[in-house]
Amino acid sequence: MRKVLVLEDEDNIRSFVVLNLNRAGYDTLEATTGEEALEILREHPETRIALLDVNLPGIDGFEVCRRIRATNSKMGIIMLTARTLEMDKVTGLMTGADDYVTKPFSPAELTARVDALYRRSGGEEKQADSGEIFQPPFLLNTRNRTLEKDGKRIKLTQVEYSIMRMFMENPGKALSREEILDRVWGRDYFGELKIVDVNIRRLRLKIEDNVQNPTFITTVWGYGYKWDA
Ligand code: CA
């Protein structure tokens, strides 16, 4: 069963989200506080996607995201944010969320985001492709979807993995932000280009020797990014 956790303290919004996810064929687990959400995820480790409201009594959605990511890099996480502040989006993504949806959102928009993330998190079993891409010091295993740098495992979210794979399959090629958005998030994704920058910033923190002076993922000013391993 395709299981999604919905953390939202406002009953009417939670019911609305649950109803629409159920209609789209998802099985839902509901939580009204961050603490409860974490408890439910412990009891249901098979949960593939979590929708996290940001403003909550008790610990907030960012903290829940951080705690999920401390032990689980694979779960798909979408933040539900009431505010459109750029900082909120950035904070959410930097704490490890894969995506965000700003309230108010339409049922179609929400399920499209969940579907996209579910596909990306390996929800629909694809033919296992075997193989490794080795570009010292990086080794990307496309079967296990893992990355090593100098033989040490670097934990990546699904989105970060997709970005790394795209880069390593296109060494030395300048990729525009639009192209990265299309390749990683899909052509049917109506997100903002900002999400590309934030994910790359987060990825750099994990893979670069010196984040202030990145040498693997370099910026192509006014255009996008380039992989230089
Ligand atoms: Ca709330």
Side-chain angles (χ1 to χ4, degrees), residues 24 63 67 79 91 104 124 140 149 153 190:
E63 182 57 27
R67 292 191 195 178
M79 305 303 296
T91 306
E124 286 162 15
L140 189 80
K149 181 185 180 188
R153 176 75 65 89
F190 294 100

Side-chain angles (χ1 to χ4, degrees), residues 8-10 53 55:
E8 167 64 67
D9 61 319
E10 283 171 63
D53 181 29
N55 291 313

Side-chain angles (χ1 to χ4, degrees), residues 122-203:
E124 286 162 15
E125 295 306 327
K126 278 183 260 161
Q127 283 250 289
D129 58 322
S130 58
E132 292 179 335
I133 305 176
F134 185 48
Q135 288 163 11
F138 297 100
L139 174 66
L140 189 80
N141 184 316
T142 58
R143 194 176 50 247
N144 305 332
R145 300 169 70 88
T146 54
L147 177 71
E148 289 178 8
K149 181 185 180 188
D150 291 322
K152 280 197 200 118
R153 176 75 65 89
I154 295 176
K155 282 192 180 177
L156 299 179
T157 66
Q158 296 294 337
V159 169
E160 290 162 354
Y161 169 82
S162 301
I163 295 173
M164 274 305 290
R165 179 162 180 175
M166 174 200 63
F167 276 137
M168 291 180 75
E169 286 175 341
N170 294 280
K173 180 173 184 247
L175 298 163
S176 72
R177 295 153 85 226
E178 289 84 357
E179 192 175 352
I180 296 171
L181 192 71
D182 274 356
R183 282 175 186 244
V184 175
W185 281 267
R187 287 190 180 276
D188 53 352
Y189 178 80
F190 294 100
E192 300 162 52
L193 288 173
K194 184 92 200 156
I195 200 171
V196 173
D197 301 320
V198 176
N199 271 281
I200 284 180
R201 197 195 307 172
R202 198 173 68 202
L203 190 53

